[in-house]
Amino acid sequence: MKLEGIHHITAITADAQENIDFYAGVLGLRLVKKTVNQDDPTVYHLFFADEEGSAGADLTFFEFPGVPLGRAGDGMVHEIAWRVASGEAIDFWAERLAARDVETHRGENALVFRDPEGLQHVLRVSTVDDPALIADHPEIPRELALLGFDGVRAFSSDPARSEGLLRELGFEPGSDRFTEHSWEARGEQRGGTIAYDEPPSERGLQGAGTVHHVAWASTPEEHEGWRARIAAAGGHPTPVIDRFYFRSIYFREPSGVLFEIATLGPGFTVDEPLESLGEKLSLPPDYEHLRSQVEANLKPVHSPREVTA
Ligand code: ZN
């Protein structure tokens, strides 16, 4: 069994519209699902991805309106890495972000920036030939667009603690140049990495602009098998939870990062057609009969795609 890299990453925002404007409008991702938090249907759960809504490019946000800004600390993801194709793509994004007053820092074949709530991202020139996961955006040529996740970086005061479980889950030592504590999960189609950095002295605070969890991808057939393997390795997995678009298992890895194993499929076209993904509010079947109440509680948001549609 091999995990197929990162399935999705879920973070927190205090402002759904500002979030859509940044991720769909500026970064050019497609809003592929607009739904509610399945554990709290009074707030949005937004899913951004490539054109097809693929695992591997799916960044999701819980909206908690007005929640204070958080900060990443020990046991939390502090950076999301995306692949781009070339140095020209790095130049393009440096210019595009600067034109929108987003501060950037250039590294070697990399560009670091933060979203409006402080969530840190890095674009890296890809060193692998995994399938490119691209969303259409009128201002972003396909050859310069984001290509899906490369990995995440997390803070850990004792990254060696995570090694046993990661190895049990099929992660292999990665080649991160900033830390010896880097790991890759690579399946038949995709790979994704996690690297651990020394934490800041300040405690982390879960809030707007922080990552809530990282999900790794499993085939539907192997999903139950992963649960057994986590438990055998001393982890404490939740039961399998049906998230409607995929099935999920959650557990905290030993450094403190909340992991999920999510199935590849059934996917976002299970309740709306590919052409109009994300345009209307999707509700899990259990909430459909409450649609008018749920909708009345949510502040309407619009995606830049609706304007051009
Ligand atoms: Zn998740």
Side-chain angles (χ1 to χ4, degrees):
M1 298 203 309
K2 288 284 185 190
L3 293 168
E4 292 282 336
I6 292 176
H7 184 289
H8 64 269
I9 298 169
T10 294
I12 295 169
T13 180
D15 186 334
Q17 186 61 60
E18 182 186 68
N19 189 254
I20 292 170
D21 291 344
F22 187 76
Y23 287 95
V26 178
L27 291 190
L29 301 173
R30 181 176 185 191
L31 178 65
V32 293
K33 192 65 66 182
K34 187 167 62 185
T35 182
V36 291
N37 186 330
Q38 292 187 19
D39 301 318
D40 178 1
T42 66
V43 294
Y44 280 116
H45 192 180
L46 304 173
F47 295 72
F48 301 93
D50 67 333
E51 206 56 26
E52 276 74 45
S54 308
D58 179 16
L59 178 60
T60 99
F61 286 87
F62 296 134
E63 186 203 29
F64 295 115
V67 75
L69 291 180
R71 61 167 185 257
D74 198 6
M76 292 168 72
V77 168
H78 67 87
E79 184 178 76
I80 295 171
W82 301 83
R83 296 176 188 146
V84 293
S86 62
E88 290 76 68
I90 299 286
D91 294 340
F92 170 84
W93 285 103
E95 209 170 290
R96 181 171 173 82
L97 292 165
R100 287 157 183 79
D101 293 324
V102 180
E103 200 182 319
T104 62
H105 299 277
R106 288 184 90 119
E108 198 186 317
N109 289 323
L111 187 74
V112 179
F113 59 93
R114 291 173 182 272
D115 85 355
E117 294 174 311
L119 178 57
Q120 186 162 305
H121 296 270
V122 60
L123 308 183
R124 293 180 190 152
V125 176
S126 181
T127 55
V128 296
D129 56 6
D130 297 359
L133 304 176
I134 301 172
D136 297 335
H137 187 291
E139 296 161 6
I140 303 168
R142 287 180 68 80
E143 65 273 19
L144 304 176
L146 306 194
L147 306 177
F149 296 128
D150 200 35
V152 291
R153 306 187 73 86
F155 288 129
S156 175
S157 51
D158 186 6
R161 277 188 311 203
S162 294
E163 180 171 343
L165 183 69
L166 291 175
R167 283 193 188 275
E168 206 55 48
L169 296 180
F171 283 75
E172 291 182 11
S175 55
D176 192 274
R177 58 203 160 89
F178 300 108
T179 172
E180 57 186 293
H181 300 287
S182 86
W183 299 91
E184 182 183 39
R186 173 156 290 281
E188 279 175 21
Q189 295 285 316
R190 292 193 79 72
T193 62
I194 181 164
Y196 294 98
D197 298 310
E198 226 168 275
S201 52
E202 279 184 317
R203 274 177 66 111
L205 277 177
Q206 191 89 82
T210 64
V211 169
H212 187 267
H213 64 266
V214 183
W216 304 89
S218 157
T219 62
E221 299 73 30
E222 291 174 340
H223 197 231
E224 287 279 359
W226 285 114
R227 189 172 181 281
R229 198 178 281 198
I230 296 158
H236 300 283
T238 62
V240 173
I241 300 172
D242 187 355
R243 293 302 190 192
F244 196 45
Y245 307 112
F246 41 80
R247 292 192 308 283
S248 300
I249 299 162
Y250 302 84
F251 60 102
R252 214 167 272 285
E253 59 83 43
S255 283
V257 180
L258 185 59
F259 272 15
E260 173 182 348
I261 309 271
T263 54
L264 291 162
F268 296 122
T269 54
V270 76
D271 61 352
E272 57 184 347
L274 182 62
E275 307 77 63
S276 56
L277 283 182
E279 289 177 15
K280 74 170 195 33
L281 182 71
S282 291
L283 292 178
D286 290 355
Y287 291 120
E288 195 55 61
H289 69 288
L290 300 171
R291 176 173 284 273
S292 56
Q293 278 160 267
V294 170
E295 282 185 333
N297 276 321
L298 293 166
K299 197 166 153 189
V301 290
H302 56 87
S303 155
R305 290 282 283 251
E306 291 161 33
V307 182
T308 56

